[in-house]
Amino acid sequence: DIQMTQSPSSVSASVGDRVTITCRASQGISTWLSWYQQKPGKAPKLLISAAVTLYSGVPSRFSGSASGTDFTLTISSLQPEDSAIYYCQQANRFPLTFGGGTRVEIK
Amino acid sequence: EVQLLQSAGGVVQPGGSLRLSCAASGFTFSGFAMSWVRQAPGKGLEWVSTFSGNGGRTYYADSVKGRFTISRDDSKNTLYLQMNSLSVEDTAVYYCAKDLDYGLGSFFSDFWGQGTLVTVSS
């Protein structure tokens, strides 16, 4: 199985800060990676697909990048509504696997 | 508007069975892969099963293989998850999710159901 290692597990930042979350795959997955945002008691929401493609309606402050087996989700200017848990997911092969999640809190 | 409406969950005794359903609307259901993803209380997301689009293949997590069965009725635009031999480790919120891409699927999920809590307890 492909392991997805997310870091950090939590981050606390101020409004307007730049926040970066990393996901490392245990083997090559090309760009078969997505990022989701989940708020308490709610279903996840797709932010990024294919490592870098912003999903329709997602604010442009969210962006994704890829380098080898390392993937990054960046929030360029943190907003209060971005407080949530973020997950990466690889879709290169089954079983599909998620990262452990990163909790983003607003200072 | 895409909607995924999940059935109610419930409390089931260990060893018991439960069937979840997910009624879809607002898109060509038969053409999209559909998945089940679960989340144990206070834990992260865990993929459970996928049924690829256009009458394709089924896939299962090892943790549920042989116990859970994913199926779909394209005439009713409904996805199912039959869960047998349930254990306390299966306690979770179960989400159905629609694939982003038409056809066999990309296995990225762009729409999710509201979630159904399944509690396995004696």
Side-chain angles (χ1 to χ4, degrees), chain A residues 37 47-48 52 54 58-64 73-78 81-82 86:
Chain A
Q37 176 194 67
L47 299 175
I48 302 277
V52 299
L54 192 68
V58 175
S60 59
R61 63 180 179 273
F62 292 93
S63 64
L73 173 69
T74 299
I75 308 173
S76 61
S77 178
L78 191 67
E81 60 268 30
D82 300 335
Y86 294 82

Side-chain angles (χ1 to χ4, degrees), chain B residues 29-51:
Chain B
F29 179 76
S30 62
F32 287 86
M34 297 290 297
S35 296
W36 290 98
V37 175
R38 69 184 180 182
Q39 187 168 37
K43 302 298 184 182
L45 301 172
E46 180 189 13
W47 170 77
V48 173
S49 183
T50 295
F51 202 128

Side-chain angles (χ1 to χ4, degrees), chain B residues 49-119:
Chain B
S49 183
T50 295
F51 202 128
S52 62
N54 293 331
R57 295 180 58 182
T58 58
Y59 305 87
Y60 296 94
D62 284 347
S63 59
V64 306
K65 199 174 295 182
R67 301 187 300 121
F68 290 13
T69 302
I70 190 172
S71 62
R72 60 192 298 162
D73 185 337
D74 290 342
S75 69
K76 295 183 178 179
N77 291 345
T78 302
L79 179 74
Y80 302 98
L81 185 68
Q82 177 67 45
M83 304 185 293
N84 298 331
S85 302
L86 285 161
S87 70
V88 294
E89 289 76 27
D90 297 315
T91 295
V93 173
Y94 286 74
Y95 294 100
C96 63
K98 168 192 168 291
D99 200 276
L100 173 65
D101 293 313
Y102 185 90
L104 291 178
S106 60
F107 311 118
F108 303 130
S109 297
D110 63 345
F111 284 93
W112 297 63
Q114 82 275 21
T116 295
L117 177 61
V118 174
T119 302

